[in-house]
Amino acid sequence: TSTIYTAAVSSDGKLLATGSADKTVRIWDMETAECVKVLTGHSSHVTSVAWIPDTTDRLVSSSWDETIKLWDTTSGTPIFTFTGHNSKVNCLAVT
């Protein structure tokens, strides 16, 4: 992986999501430290990731490509892309 800009641990503590300059979100197993999934779809640096509370199959990410994506981490595909920002999206939060 490239420079990592962001990381978030799932609510159950079993998974770590990272976002990096290589335009990917990677899902890591916290016990084995192995990368178990690579999510592709952003066209620029991934700047922030956050798990949807109480799940390990939904994650959001923001990017310098001016989008936010909602991911299905089981299939590794984006469910929805939020567009309309005029500039880089540097951070996000989920509550």
Side-chain angles (χ1 to χ4, degrees), residues 1-85:
T1 187
S2 177
T3 301
I4 295 172
Y5 287 105
T6 183
V9 177
S10 61
S11 59
D12 66 2
K14 294 181 179 181
L15 299 173
L16 173 73
T18 59
S20 61
D22 68 1
K23 308 173 193 170
T24 65
V25 174
R26 294 176 189 266
I27 310 296
W28 305 84
D29 182 303
M30 291 285 285
E31 189 172 309
T32 65
E34 290 184 35
C35 180
V36 295
K37 186 90 55 176
V38 178
L39 310 180
T40 59
H42 282 294
S43 60
S44 190
H45 299 45
V46 177
T47 55
S48 190
V49 293
W51 293 95
I52 302 300
D54 302 322
T55 72
T56 57
D57 65 346
R58 296 290 184 268
L59 179 82
V60 290
S61 61
S62 64
S63 172
W64 284 358
D65 67 7
E66 302 177 8
T67 68
I68 295 172
K69 292 188 182 292
L70 172 64
W71 297 91
D72 177 330
T73 59
T74 302
S75 68
T77 58
I79 296 168
F80 190 80
T81 300
F82 299 86
T83 60
H85 297 90

